[in-house]
Structure formats: structure tokens, C-alpha cells
């Protein structure tokens, strides 16, 4: 039986107190235990990867923020409660025999400290938990770098908006919450102890002097904070969304109405605060009440009514002129924030194609014609999976990557992928814990296929030969061969893939490697392996095993005999996840890709962006909206999209690498002029290697690509921001659109943008080959081509964006129109209909290629695969080409090879020739008769003119080629076939001649 406490309240027995204590301890352990385990394992992980400075800085910043905030807020709230309690009336008359307050008052009086401290402590803890998440805001405020650029309105350095303003807002919001809670706590305490009475039962409402003084002082402090908030609101105007349909930033109304209203409201707030402070001395509270009413009325009339009236009656009738100055500010700031400054970052080639293309220049553009990419990395993934998977537990992502390698002195595009462990393909008997986490631990190999090559020309859609990639394989078996060591174009020394995109899809993602009693990990049939790198957290002690057993809720980690003193655990194996964990301040590109370094290692390359939410006057962009396109239809197993977040600044400031074998993460400074990166390098010194360190690694530099997501953001901006005149910008009559992807009907129906493409072609203003990322623009809401945009990935000219602008005096066929023309051309339509009846047809990247300075060439691969076989492989069946030659109009090419398709549209395919060895042929697998025809007609031998037989054979080839072109133009499929037979006969005659003629 419990003992009765003060005021007749019962107390708990000792047994009950123990039970409650145990229950609370268990609850706390359940709540805090996983967090403590998470902290411990995170410390071990960061120690393993060598980034403990990041972990400790973040943790200690959060701890200090939590403690300071909890202490300050808790003390202020406790002070408000304590003052009200200490100034309570000595005698509080009851309002009646059943006064409910009397019972609560007695309960509180019996446990005064508990009821005073507990609420304040709880509120302080909650405030600390909320504030500790703002560690990045505090660190950037403390280490912020100057931008050297001032805003157009207040003349402050941009760093104030990037780093300082958010901190001031954080402090101000925290003070607002603290004062409001303190006011309520003080009010409730006064009410509970009789300092404030609402009346009733014949009694009048009343308030003690102490209650009036304390509540008035708190209200006055709140209004002073509101005045400070109005002051800072002025700076937030420079990121105003009032004219968001046109531009971001302060508009005419914001500067001429809202800005003055903020200052007026600030003055009124100060006056109202003084009125409340006067209430401390005066007994009459009508003055503060009138001041409050004035504050509310002023906010409505001055803060809302005045700007609304100015916008409707003054600005809208003359918007183009009145907004001109502010649009100009937006144009300047946006180009600074996204590196789109004219001449410095973006070069314009005005009125491109105004002069007809020169056939000689087009035919000699070997840098472009010899690199035409016919393998679509989003289409041919099944070919990789079917022909190169080796085992059921290996696989490739649904979206492959495009990179370039220098082979035989020439830079060529390759479709590349790592043969990774794919846990989603485990068989039923492979699903046990031992297999998933200790046996199947790594992938095997790097696979590359020349992007402009297939094994041989496809003769018909039903054939199981031809149209397939030519694989260059680097895995445990092939790297041992002598032929590989001598002739492999890309040499890998360590093909084991322990870190990758597919590996990380197992949940939970971890592998236990290392052994002291024999190899355990599957390597090849009949061969096991033991991981030899230094990476991984040791499981050689029971404490670590216990930690990870709790982390993954897996008792086998604690009990399994497969784990011994040499065992280590590796986890967080996705390259992007590893980079994000060591650099949480980075925004990562949605795609990564593997590259083979000069030392034979495979490294994943990840692009990191520094972004800002507020850059004064810069256009705000949705990360998700700007980077979404038709590739989402092929997201597959590893596809990712950006988060739905608004940004107003983006720089590709960091290039990161993750070693596929060791998991080592390296961060390199790439943009040396970025103040945001410099700020983070001060926050985490030593974590990002300098640009000088990157420059010492030319092999890595040779594989960096201009990142897709940044390019998509810049593309979306340049659709409008190529316009430099504010009034023209306001009228929007010269804007561009990003076309929907014409190669996918679903993309056109959903309005999904055509994605940009990587390929090697002639430099925009030169003849040398250059690895580029390209896209096209059409006129606003039209299908006509308006501009061609390309960004260089070559080290010498990296990041240079060139925009080729088409003349507006004439209309040029855009990508969707080109595809419609190609698909509806006579020979194409007839054959396509027959093929689609029996097979599944897929169209690859529709590439827009500038050729010979002023020419525009469209090239699109056409793939076929069986409709009934789920494991069917898409094979290159035909190549479609569209070219508008000024001399005789537009032509469509449709052939099994790029060479023949180019020939059909009047372009000399001399650059598109087969290599001397092997059946694989570049440029779309030109068949031998077509190659010989090209060689004879385009490059006559020295003996020509000396041998009548040879001259006659060449003339016959020329006549056959002319007949082919005429049949193609007329759409006469029968005549086209007859001409092709004539060509084959002429070529055979030519090849039968002796060398001397």
C-alpha cells in the first residue's frame, strides 16, 4: 500500500518505482541504442576510408549545437516559468467548491521542481534536436568564402546570401520559437497560480502587476524580433518568386513597394514593442492593445494591399518597360551562377548553316564520319547480359555508359560496363546467408564495345547473325592470355569488382571477406579467392562483431564459423553512396561510369556539384524537373533521379573516384574558382585534393566527362537565357524548346525531353576529333531545329559550351521531323512494315551531327529482336540517315551499314572503312561489296586511267551507285534492289581484276 503524499495525493510503492525505472531504461535503450551503434559503426567506416575528419567535424558540430540550443532554450523557458511562480499571489481564492485549478495547483505545489524543470528540459531537448540538423548552416557561416561579386540592389557580396543570411534566419527563428513558448509557459503558470484570472461566477477578470509586466515584456521582445525579421526580409526579396513565370528575383513591385513596406513595418514593429514595454510601467494595457491592432492593420494594408495595387494598376499595363532593369539583373546573375557567361563560358555561332554546306568539307570531315555511334547504351544492355554475363549471379545495368579510349593512336567511343555481382539474380539455392555475404562477394571483368562497330552487317531481321557488339573483354580468364597482353585495346590488371552499382542492390549491402583457413570467395569455377586489399572493418574482435550483428540484426555475424580473426566487413558499396557519405555537402550526378586507368585498375568516376538555394537574382531551377528526360523510361536497376529541390547555383566542382576493388574514395578539386567549394574545403581541410593533385593524374583527366545533369540544367536555362535583351526576354518570342525524344513513342506522348548524347566528333570550330556532350533545341513549341549545343570533355577545352544558332529566316528540319521523313521514305516504309510484322523494332539514339562546318546529318540505328523470346538480343538491323544537301534537296539513307547509308544521301563514306583484320567493321559493319564499292568509287587506285578494264569496272560501280540514289529518292524499292544487284556484280568484276589492271 502506497504512502499518501502532500494534499492527499497517493505515492508509488518501491516495487512500482523499480518497474517503471526498468521500463524507462528499456525504452531509452531501444531509442538510443541503435543510434549509438550507428555512431560506432560509422566511426569504424570513416576510419576505414580515411575520412574521420568529416565524421568528427559533423558529430561535434551537432553535439555543440544541440547542447548550446538545449541549454539556452531550456534556461529561457525555465526562467519564464520560475518568474511566474515566484511572483504568484500569496492567496488565491477558489472560484467554487469544485474549482479544477485547485486540484492541479495542489499537484504542482507537491512537485514544484519536477513541473518547473521537466517542461523546460523537454522543450530545450526538442529545440536542440531540431537545431543540430543545421550543422551545415553553422559551418558555412563560420568558414564562408567571399565571391567577389556584389548584388545589384544592396551592394553586398554574394557570400552574405549564400552563407550568412541562412544563419541569421536560423538564430532568428530559434529566438521566435523560444519567446513564443516562454510567453505561453509564463501565461499558463500565471493562470494556474492566480496571477491571471478570466472571471466568472460574478468575479471580474484580473491580472497581477507581475503577470502584466512579464507578459508585456515578452510580447515586446517578440515584436523587436519581428522588426529584425522585417530587416532581413529585405534581402530575401532578391530571390522573390513574384514573377516566377518570367524570372526569379526582386521585381519592380518588390523594389518599389514591398521593400519600402518592410522598412515601414519594421518601424511600426519597434513602436509597438515600445508600447508593450511602456505597459510594464503603465497599468493601462489599452496602448499595447491598440499598437497590436495597428501592427495587424499595417501588415495588411502596407504589406499586402500596397504591393497588390501597384502590381495591378501600375506594373502590369507597362510590364515590359518597368521590369526591364530587373530582368537584366536576372540575366546577369543567372549566367554567373550557372557558368553561362557569354564569350567566357558559352560561345555562340550565329546563323549557323546560313551558307550551304560545302560537299568537299563534308566528305573530308573524317573526325565525325569515322566516329558515328551506332550502339545505343540504353538499348544494347541485353546484348551485354546475354553474351557476357558468364554466371547467373553476374549482370550489367540497364543503362550502360559511353567513354572514350585511345586505341592505335585514335580516340574512339566505347560502350562500357563492369560485370558486377547482381544479387537480384541469385537462384533459390543461392539465397542463404553464407552465399549472399561470404561466398558471392565480387564481380568479374570490364567489358567494352566500340560504339561505331558491330560484328557484321545484318542481312535480315530473322537472322541470328550480325548487328551485335564486338566485345573487348577484360576478366580473370582473358587477362591471362598472351593475345590479351599484346593486342587488347584496354588492359585491366585487377578485374574483380567489389564495389559497384548492382552489388549495392542487395539489402542489406555488405560482404564479409578475408580468411585465415583457406579461400572462401567464389572467383572462377573450381577456384576461390581471398580479398587482399586493406579495405574493410575488422571483424576479428567480438565487440565489432556484436556491433555489426546489431546494426544488421543478423545473429550469423556473431555466431558464424566462417568469420575469423582475418575477416573484414565491407559495405556501402555503391560508388555514389560512398562519395555522398564522405562528402554530404555535395550534390551528385545521377550517373556514374567505370573507367580503366593506366595502372590497370578500374575506377568509378562520380561527378559532384556544389549548389546553393539562394543566389541573388539567379533563376531558380528544379533539380528533378531540369534533369528528367526520356532516359527515365530505361531507368533499370541502377537508374536514379535527382531530388525535387530548387537551386539557384550549380558548379561541377568535384571529380570523385571510387576504386572498384579497394573501395578507396578520392575527391579532387576541379573548379578552382568556386567559392562554395573553397568554403567546404575550409570546413573539412584535407578531404578534397587540390587541382594540382588532379593535374598530376592525366590518365584520370582523359576519362572525365562533362556531367549530364549539369548539362541538362544549362540546356534548360539556355533555352531562354541565350536572349540578352530584357524586353525581348519578357516577350519570350525568341525562346527555344527542348524536343521530345522522337525515337520513343512513349517519350513523345509524355513529352519527355530528348536526352543529351556523348560521342566523338569534330570540334565545333575545328577539324580535330573531340569527345562531346550534345543536344539540340527547336523553336518555341515548334519542331523546327533552332540550335545545336555541345560541351567539350577534352582536357584542353573542357567545359567550353558552343551554341550553334540556326538562322530564323529559313526553317530547318528538327529531329522529330527528320525521323518522320526517314520512317516514311519509300524503301524504308516498305521494309519497316514487313520487319515490324515479325520482330520487335527499337530505334536507338537519333544523333544530330554537324558535318563539314555547315551541314546537318541525322543518324539513327534501328534494332530488331524476337517478339516471342524473352532472352532475345536487340541487333543492329539498319542505319537510317537524313541529310539535306543544298544541291538536290533532302535525302534519306537506309542500309545495313553507315557507309552505304551515307553513300545514299550523297556523302562520300571514305572515312567509314573496315579495319584490315577481323570481321568486325567500323561505321556500322559495312559489307565487303559496299566497302569495295566505296574504295573504288571514292579512292581510285593509281592504276586507274592506265587500264581500260579497271576504268570500265569503276565506271560500272559509279553507274550502280547513281541508280541506287535515284531509286532511293523515288522510293522505288524494286529498282533499289536491282541497283544493289548491279553494284554487287560491278564490285565482283572490279575485285577479280589483277593488281596491275
Amino acid at each position: 500500500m502506497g504512502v499518501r503524499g502532500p494534499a492527499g495525493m497517493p505515492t508509488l510503492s518501491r516495487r512500482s518505482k523499480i518497474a517503471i525505472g526498468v521500463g524507462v531504461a528499456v525504452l531509452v535503450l531501444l531509442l538510443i541504442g541503435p543510434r549509438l551503434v550507428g555512431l560506432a559503426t560509422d566511426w569504424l567506416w570513416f576510419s576505414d576510408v580515411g575520412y574521420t575528419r568529416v565524421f568528427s567535424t559533423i558529430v561535434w558540430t551537432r553535439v555543440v549545437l544541440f547542447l548550446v540550443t538545449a541549454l539556452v532554450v531550456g534556461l529561457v523557458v525555465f526562467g519564464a516559468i520560475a518568474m511566474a511562480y515566484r511572483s504568484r499571489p500569496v492567496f488565491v481564492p477558489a472560484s467554487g467548491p469544485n474549482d479544477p485549478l485547485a486540484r492541479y495547483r495542489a499537484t504542482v505545489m507537491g512537485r514544484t521542481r519536477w513541473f518547473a524543470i521537466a517542461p523546460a528540459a523537454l522543450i530545450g531537448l526538442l529545440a536542440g534536436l531540431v537545431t543540430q540538423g543545421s550543422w551545415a548552416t553553422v559551418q558555412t557561416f563560420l568558414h564562408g568564402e567571399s565571391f567577389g561579386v556584389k548584388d545589384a540592389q544592396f551592394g553586398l557580396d554574394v557570400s552574405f546570401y549564400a552563407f550568412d543570411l541562412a544563419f541569421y534566419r536560423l538564430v532568428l527563428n530559434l529566438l521566435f520559437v523560444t519567446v513564443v513558448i516562454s510567453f505561453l509557459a509564463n501565461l499558463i503558470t500565471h493562470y494556474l497560480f492566480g496571477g491571471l484570472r478570466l472571471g466568472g461566477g460574478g468575479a471580474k477578470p484580473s491580472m497581477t502587476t507581475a503577470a502584466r509586466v512579464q507578459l508585456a515584456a515578452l510580447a515586446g521582445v517578440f515584436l523587436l524580433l519581428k522588426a529584425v525579421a522585417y530587416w532581413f526580409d529585405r534581402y530575401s526579396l532578391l530571390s522573390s518568386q513574384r514573377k516566377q513565370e518570367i524570372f526569379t528575383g526582386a521585381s519592380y513591385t518588390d523594389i518599389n513597394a514591398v521593400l519600402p513596406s518592410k522598412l515601414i513595418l519594421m518601424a511600426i514593429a519597434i513602436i509597438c514593442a515600445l508600447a508593450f514595454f511602456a505597459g510594464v510601467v503603465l497599468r493601462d494595457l489599452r496602448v499595447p492593445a491598440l499598437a497590436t491592432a495597428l501592427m495587424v492593420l499595417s501588415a495588411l494594408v502596407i504589406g499586402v494591399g500596397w504591393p497588390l495595387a501597384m502590381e495591378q494598376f501600375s506594373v502590369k499595363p507597362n510590364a515590359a518597360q518597368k521590369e526591364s532593369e530587373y530582368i537584366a539583373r536576372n540575366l546577369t546573375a543567372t549566367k554567373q551562377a550557372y557558368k553561362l557567361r557569354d564569350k567566357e563560358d558559352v560561345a555562340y555561332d550565329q546563323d549557323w548553316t546560313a551558307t550551304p554546306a560545302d560537299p568537299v568539307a563534308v566528305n573530308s570531315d573524317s573526325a565525325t564520319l569515322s566516329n558515328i555511334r551506332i550502339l545505343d547504351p540504353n538499348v544494347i544492355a541485353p546484348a551485354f547480359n546475354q553474351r557476357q554475363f558468364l554466371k547467373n549471379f553476374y549482370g550489367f545495368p540497364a543503362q550502360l555508359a559511353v567513354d572514350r579510349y585511345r586505341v592505335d593512336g585514335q580516340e574512339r567511343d566505347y560502350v562500357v560496363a563492369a560485370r558486377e555481382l547482381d544479387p537480384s539474380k541469385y537462384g533459390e539455392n543461392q539465397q542463404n546467408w553464407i552465399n549472399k555475404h561470404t561466398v558471392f562477394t565480387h564481380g568479374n571483368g570490364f567489358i567494352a564495345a566500340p560504339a561505331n562497330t558491330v560484328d557484321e552487317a545484318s542481312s535480315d531481321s530473322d537472322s541470328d547473325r550480325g548487328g551485335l557488339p564486338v566485345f573487348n573483354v577484360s576478366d580473370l580468364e582473358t587477362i591471362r592470355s598472351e593475345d590479351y597482353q599484346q593486342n587488347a585495346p584496354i588492359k585491366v590488371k585487377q578485374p574483380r569488382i567489389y564495389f559497384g552499382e548492382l552489388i549495392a542492390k542487395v539489402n542489406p549491402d555488405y560482404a564479409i571477406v578475408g580468411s585465415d583457413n583457406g579461400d572462401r570467395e567464389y572467383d572462377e569455377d573450381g577456384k576461390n579467392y581471398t580479398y587482399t586489399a586493406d579495405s574493410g572493418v575488422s571483424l576479428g574482435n567480438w565487440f565489432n562483431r556484436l556491433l555489426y550483428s546489431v546494426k544488421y540484426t543478423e545473429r550469423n555475424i556473431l555466431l558464424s564459423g566462417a568469420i575469423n580473426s582475418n575477416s573484414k566487413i565491407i559495405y556501402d558499396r555503391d560508388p555514389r553512396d560512398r562519395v555522398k557519405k564522405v562528402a554530404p555537402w555535395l550534390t551528385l550526378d545521377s550517373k556514374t561510369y567505370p573507367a580503366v586507368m593506366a595502372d590497370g585498375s578500374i575506377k568509378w568516376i562520380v561527378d559532384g556539384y556544389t549548389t546553393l538555394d539562394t543566389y541573388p537574382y539567379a533563376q531558380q531551377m528544379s533539380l528533378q524537373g531540369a534533369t528528367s528526360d526520356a532516359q527515365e523510361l530505361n531507368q533499370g536497376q541502377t537508374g536514379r533521379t535527382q531530388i525535387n529541390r530548387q537551386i539557384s547555383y550549380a558548379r561541377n566542382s568535384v571529380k570523385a573516384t571510387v576504386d572498384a576493388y579497394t573501395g578507396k574514395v578520392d575527391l579532387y578539386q576541379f573548379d578552382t574558382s568556386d567559392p562554395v567549394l573553397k568554403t567546404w574545403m575550409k570546413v573539412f581541410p584535407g578531404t578534397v585534393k587540390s587541382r594540382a593533385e588532379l593535374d598530376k593524374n592525366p590518365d584520370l583527366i582523359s576519362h572525365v566527362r562533362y556531367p549530364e545533369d549539369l548539362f541538362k540544367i544549362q540546356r534548360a536555362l539556355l533555352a531562354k537565357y541565350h536572349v540578352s535583351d530584357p524586353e525581348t526576354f519578357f516577350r519570350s518570342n525568341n525562346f527555344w524548346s527542348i524536343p521530345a525524344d522522337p525515337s520513343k513513342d512513349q517519350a513523345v506522348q509524355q513529352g519527355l525531353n530528348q536526352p543529351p548524347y556523348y560521342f566523338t566528333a569534330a570540334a565545333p570550330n575545328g577539324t580535330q576529333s573531340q569527345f562531346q556532350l550534345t543536344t539540340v533545341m527547336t523553336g518555341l513549341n515548334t519542331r523546327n531545329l533552332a540550335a545545336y549545343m555541345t560541351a567539350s570533355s577534352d582536357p584542353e577545352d573542357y567545359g567550353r559550351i558552343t551554341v550553334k544558332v540556326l538562322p530564323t529566316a529559313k526553317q530547318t528540319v528538327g529531329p522529330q521531323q527528320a525521323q518522320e521523313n526517314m520512317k516514311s521514305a519509300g524503301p524504308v516504309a516498305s521494309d519497316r512494315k514487313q520487319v515490324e510484322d515479325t520482330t520487335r523494332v527499337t530505334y536507338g539514339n537519333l544523333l544530330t551531327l554537324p558535318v563539314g562546318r555547315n551541314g546537318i546529318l541525322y543518324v539513327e540505328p534501328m534494332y530488331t529482336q524476337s517478339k516471342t523470346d524473352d532472352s532475345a538480343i536487340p541487333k543492329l538491323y539498319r542505319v537510317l540517315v537524313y541529310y539535306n544537301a543544298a544541291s538536290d534537296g533532302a535525302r534519306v539513307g537506309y542500309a545495313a551499314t553507315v557507309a552505304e547509308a551515307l553513300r545514299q544521301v550523297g556523302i562520300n563514306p571514305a572515312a567509314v572503312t573496315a579495319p584490315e583484320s577481323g570481321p568486325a567493321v567500323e561505321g556500322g559493319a559495312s559489307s565487303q561489296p559496299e566497302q569495295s564499292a566505296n574504295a573504288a568509287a571514292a579512292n581510285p587506285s593509281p592504276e586507274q586511267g592506265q587500264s581500260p578494264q579497271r576504268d570500265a569496272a569503276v565506271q560500272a560501280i559509279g553507274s550502280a551507285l547513281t541508280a541506287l540514289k535515284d531509286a532511293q529518292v523515288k522510293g522505288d524499292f524494286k529498282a533499289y534492289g536491282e541497283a544493289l544487284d548491279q553494284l554487287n556484280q560491278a564490285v565482283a568484276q572490279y575485285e577479280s581484276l589483277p593488281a596491275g589492271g
Side-chain angles (χ1 to χ4, degrees), residues 22-41:
V22 171
V24 170
V26 170
L27 181 62
V28 170
L29 183 62
L30 291 175
L31 292 174
I32 299 179
R35 294 185 178 274
L36 294 177
V37 170
L39 281 173
T41 53

Side-chain angles (χ1 to χ4, degrees), residues 51 653-655 657 664-670 672 677 681 684-694 697:
Y51 285 85
S653 297
V654 172
K655 297 290 185 181
T657 63
K664 181 183 179 183
V665 180
D666 288 311
L667 306 175
Y668 295 96
Q669 179 187 25
F670 194 71
T672 57
L677 176 59
M681 290 175 72
F684 302 113
T687 58
V688 179
K689 298 180 181 180
S690 68
R691 179 57 192 257
E693 290 293 317
L694 178 61
N697 193 347

Side-chain angles (χ1 to χ4, degrees), residues 438-679:
T438 68
V439 175
F440 302 129
T441 58
H442 58 276
N444 174 19
F446 177 85
I447 316 299
N452 63 344
T453 300
V454 291
D455 55 353
E456 61 180 279
S458 177
S459 57
D460 61 76
S461 59
D462 295 326
S463 172
D464 61 354
R465 295 183 55 188
L468 294 174
V470 178
F471 296 107
N472 294 315
V473 182
S474 300
D475 58 20
L476 289 169
E477 180 180 358
T478 57
I479 65 173
R480 290 192 289 261
S481 70
E482 183 178 345
D483 180 67
Y484 176 90
Q485 299 298 329
Q486 295 179 355
N487 302 317
I490 305 170
K491 292 183 173 65
V492 174
K493 292 183 179 179
Q494 179 51 273
R496 297 178 179 91
I497 312 294
Y498 278 86
F499 296 84
E501 298 178 293
L502 294 182
I503 295 174
K505 297 309 169 186
V506 63
N507 188 20
D509 157 35
Y510 66 89
I512 297 174
V513 297
S515 175
D516 61 359
N517 57 356
D519 299 334
R520 291 181 178 274
E521 304 169 45
Y522 175 84
D523 212 33
E524 297 177 89
D525 285 348
K527 295 181 181 179
N528 288 343
Y529 179 74
T530 297
Y531 187 61
T532 59
D534 293 333
S535 305
V537 177
S538 173
L539 293 180
N541 61 77
W542 285 99
F543 180 72
N544 284 4
R545 292 178 69 170
L546 177 62
L547 285 178
Y548 284 98
S549 179
V550 173
K551 177 181 176 68
Y552 293 116
T553 61
E554 178 55 68
R555 65 177 182 272
N556 284 320
I557 297 178
L558 201 60
L559 304 176
S560 175
I563 302 175
N564 49 66
S565 59
N566 289 333
S567 295
K568 296 180 290 185
I569 185 169
I570 54 176
Y571 57 101
D572 287 338
R573 293 190 283 171
D574 187 296
R576 284 167 294 196
D577 292 342
R578 292 179 77 79
V579 174
K580 185 65 176 178
K581 197 165 181 178
V582 302
W585 41 274
L586 280 177
T587 298
L588 301 182
D589 195 86
S590 57
K591 293 181 177 61
T592 185
Y593 59 100
V596 178
M597 300 292 107
D599 62 359
S601 64
I602 302 172
K603 294 187 185 296
W604 296 94
I605 300 179
V606 184
D607 283 287
Y609 308 124
T610 50
T611 58
L612 292 175
D613 298 336
T614 53
Y615 187 102
Y617 272 108
Q619 187 68 26
Q620 287 198 343
M621 298 292 293
S622 167
L623 266 178
Q624 190 176 81
T627 58
S628 299
D629 56 34
Q631 291 186 79
E632 291 185 7
L633 300 175
N634 300 90
Q635 283 299 315
Q637 296 160 299
T638 63
R640 295 188 179 185
T641 57
Q642 293 288 357
I643 60 174
N644 189 18
R645 173 187 160 208
Q646 296 287 327
I647 63 168
S648 58
Y649 175 97
R651 297 287 173 85
N652 178 211
S653 297
V654 172
K655 297 290 185 181
T657 63
V658 178
D659 192 286
Y661 182 74
T662 67
K664 181 183 179 183
V665 180
D666 288 311
L667 306 175
Y668 295 96
Q669 179 187 25
F670 194 71
D671 188 340
T672 57
S673 64
D674 179 24
V676 181
L677 176 59
K678 292 178 181 178
T679 296

Side-chain angles (χ1 to χ4, degrees), residues 119-148:
L122 180 61
I123 292 169
L125 290 174
L126 290 175
L129 288 173
V130 172
T131 307
Q132 58 87 28
S134 300
W135 65 269
T137 300
V138 175
Q139 285 289 359
T140 53
F141 171 76
L142 296 174
H143 299 92
E145 277 279 319
S146 172
F147 278 66

Side-chain angles (χ1 to χ4, degrees), residues 7-248:
M9 297 296 293
T11 60
L12 297 173
S13 66
R14 187 168 181 269
R15 181 180 298 176
S16 299
K17 290 180 179 179
I18 293 174
I20 292 175
V22 171
V24 170
V26 170
L27 181 62
V28 170
L29 183 62
L30 291 175
L31 292 174
I32 299 179
R35 294 185 178 274
L36 294 177
V37 170
L39 281 173
T41 53
D42 280 348
W43 170 257
L44 293 171
W45 187 90
F46 277 96
S47 299
D48 173 46
V49 297
Y51 285 85
T52 53
R53 184 66 175 268
V54 174
F55 178 81
S56 61
T57 299
I58 294 174
V59 168
W60 283 115
T61 305
R62 286 185 162 184
V63 168
V64 171
L65 270 177
F66 171 79
L67 293 176
V68 170
T69 302
L71 184 63
V72 172
V73 173
L75 286 176
V76 171
V77 174
F78 175 78
I81 295 173
M83 286 191 299
Y85 178 77
R86 291 175 65 87
S87 60
R88 69 190 184 283
V90 177
F91 173 73
V92 182
S95 59
N98 296 318
D99 184 1
L101 288 180
R103 184 179 304 169
Y104 292 121
R105 194 178 301 124
T107 301
V108 173
M109 292 291 290
R111 296 177 176 83
T112 306
R113 292 183 179 179
W114 173 261
F115 282 99
I117 296 174
L122 180 61
I123 292 169
L125 290 174
L126 290 175
L129 288 173
V130 172
T131 307
Q132 58 87 28
S134 300
W135 65 269
T137 300
V138 175
Q139 285 289 359
T140 53
F141 171 76
L142 296 174
H143 299 92
E145 277 279 319
S146 172
F147 278 66
V149 177
K150 295 184 178 181
D151 77 87
Q153 181 63 36
F154 301 106
L156 298 175
D157 191 271
V158 172
S159 61
F160 171 80
Y161 302 90
F163 309 129
D164 300 346
L165 188 58
F167 176 78
Y168 297 141
R169 283 289 187 190
L170 173 66
V171 174
L172 196 57
N173 291 336
L174 184 62
L175 292 176
F176 266 126
V177 172
T178 304
V179 171
V180 169
I181 293 176
S182 298
F183 181 88
L184 294 175
N186 187 271
L187 179 68
I188 292 171
T189 305
H190 277 298
Y191 176 67
L192 187 62
F193 289 99
L196 175 65
R197 305 190 67 190
L198 301 179
K204 294 182 179 180
S206 63
M207 180 184 294
T208 63
T209 300
R212 173 173 52 78
V213 169
Q214 292 169 20
L215 293 173
L218 287 170
V221 171
F222 178 85
L223 289 170
L224 282 180
L225 292 175
K226 187 63 179 175
V228 176
Y230 279 129
W231 176 264
F232 285 112
D233 283 347
R234 301 178 312 133
Y235 303 116
S236 299
L237 288 175
L238 300 195
S239 296
S240 169
Q241 295 293 308
R242 181 183 296 275
K243 296 285 185 177
Q244 60 180 340
E245 72 281 0
I246 303 174
F247 68 97
T248 299

Side-chain angles (χ1 to χ4, degrees), residues 359 362-365 369 372 851 856-857 881-885 891 898-910 912 934 938 965:
V362 172
N363 291 334
S364 62
D365 190 357
L369 298 179
I372 294 177
V851 288
I856 302 176
L857 177 69
V881 170
Y882 181 91
Y883 180 64
N884 191 356
R891 289 184 175 183
V898 172
E900 176 56 26
L902 290 178
R903 185 183 298 111
Q904 291 174 13
V905 298
I907 296 178
N908 185 344
V912 190
N934 172 52
K965 295 175 184 177

Side-chain angles (χ1 to χ4, degrees), residues 237-571:
L237 288 175
L238 300 195
S239 296
S240 169
Q241 295 293 308
R242 181 183 296 275
K243 296 285 185 177
Q244 60 180 340
E245 72 281 0
I246 303 174
F247 68 97
T248 299
S251 63
Y252 181 92
T253 300
D254 290 318
I255 297 301
N256 294 280
V258 179
L259 181 59
S261 72
K262 296 293 182 184
L263 294 173
I264 295 172
L265 290 172
M266 182 182 70
I268 293 174
I270 294 174
I271 294 171
C272 291
L274 294 176
F276 273 97
F277 290 139
V280 173
V281 180
L282 303 175
R283 293 180 177 273
D284 193 350
L285 291 179
R286 285 177 295 180
V287 173
L290 289 173
T292 304
L294 173 64
M295 184 75 197
V296 174
L297 182 63
S298 300
L300 291 174
V301 175
I302 301 175
V304 179
W306 180 18
L308 184 62
M310 177 176 286
E311 180 70 23
Q312 293 295 324
F313 301 109
S314 177
V315 177
K316 282 191 174 180
N318 310 284
Q321 293 75 32
K322 287 186 177 292
E323 302 291 8
S324 178
E325 176 185 354
Y326 307 103
I327 292 175
R329 294 179 178 182
N330 173 264
L331 291 171
T332 300
T334 300
K335 292 176 180 179
Q336 290 172 343
Y338 296 97
K339 295 200 76 172
L340 297 175
R341 293 164 295 187
D342 299 349
K343 297 181 181 178
E344 297 177 56
D345 303 306
V346 181
Y348 288 94
D349 184 359
Q350 300 291 350
D351 289 338
W352 178 51
T353 75
T355 303
D358 180 3
V360 175
V362 172
N363 291 334
S364 62
D365 190 357
S366 60
T368 299
L369 298 179
S370 65
N371 283 296
I372 294 177
R373 179 160 64 80
I374 55 174
L375 296 186
D376 184 341
N378 290 323
V379 174
I380 65 166
F384 276 62
N385 276 303
Q386 292 295 324
R387 294 299 177 95
Q388 293 297 328
F389 71 98
L390 288 186
K391 294 293 181 181
N392 69 290
F393 42 80
Y394 290 143
F396 301 91
Q399 286 187 4
L400 305 180
V402 177
D403 196 6
R404 74 283 198 195
Y405 289 86
R406 185 164 292 276
V407 179
D408 296 331
Q410 290 186 316
E411 190 171 273
R412 295 296 188 188
D413 294 343
Y414 281 82
V415 177
V416 299
R419 185 193 285 138
E420 299 184 57
L421 192 67
D422 188 351
S424 66
K425 295 181 179 179
Y426 288 159
E428 185 176 349
N429 61 336
Q430 296 170 332
Q431 294 285 347
N432 60 76
W433 183 84
I434 290 288
N435 280 336
K436 289 169 65 176
H437 297 289
T438 68
V439 175
F440 302 129
T441 58
H442 58 276
N444 174 19
F446 177 85
I447 316 299
N452 63 344
T453 300
V454 291
D455 55 353
E456 61 180 279
S458 177
S459 57
D460 61 76
S461 59
D462 295 326
S463 172
D464 61 354
R465 295 183 55 188
L468 294 174
V470 178
F471 296 107
N472 294 315
V473 182
S474 300
D475 58 20
L476 289 169
E477 180 180 358
T478 57
I479 65 173
R480 290 192 289 261
S481 70
E482 183 178 345
D483 180 67
Y484 176 90
Q485 299 298 329
Q486 295 179 355
N487 302 317
I490 305 170
K491 292 183 173 65
V492 174
K493 292 183 179 179
Q494 179 51 273
R496 297 178 179 91
I497 312 294
Y498 278 86
F499 296 84
E501 298 178 293
L502 294 182
I503 295 174
K505 297 309 169 186
V506 63
N507 188 20
D509 157 35
Y510 66 89
I512 297 174
V513 297
S515 175
D516 61 359
N517 57 356
D519 299 334
R520 291 181 178 274
E521 304 169 45
Y522 175 84
D523 212 33
E524 297 177 89
D525 285 348
K527 295 181 181 179
N528 288 343
Y529 179 74
T530 297
Y531 187 61
T532 59
D534 293 333
S535 305
V537 177
S538 173
L539 293 180
N541 61 77
W542 285 99
F543 180 72
N544 284 4
R545 292 178 69 170
L546 177 62
L547 285 178
Y548 284 98
S549 179
V550 173
K551 177 181 176 68
Y552 293 116
T553 61
E554 178 55 68
R555 65 177 182 272
N556 284 320
I557 297 178
L558 201 60
L559 304 176
S560 175
I563 302 175
N564 49 66
S565 59
N566 289 333
S567 295
K568 296 180 290 185
I569 185 169
I570 54 176
Y571 57 101

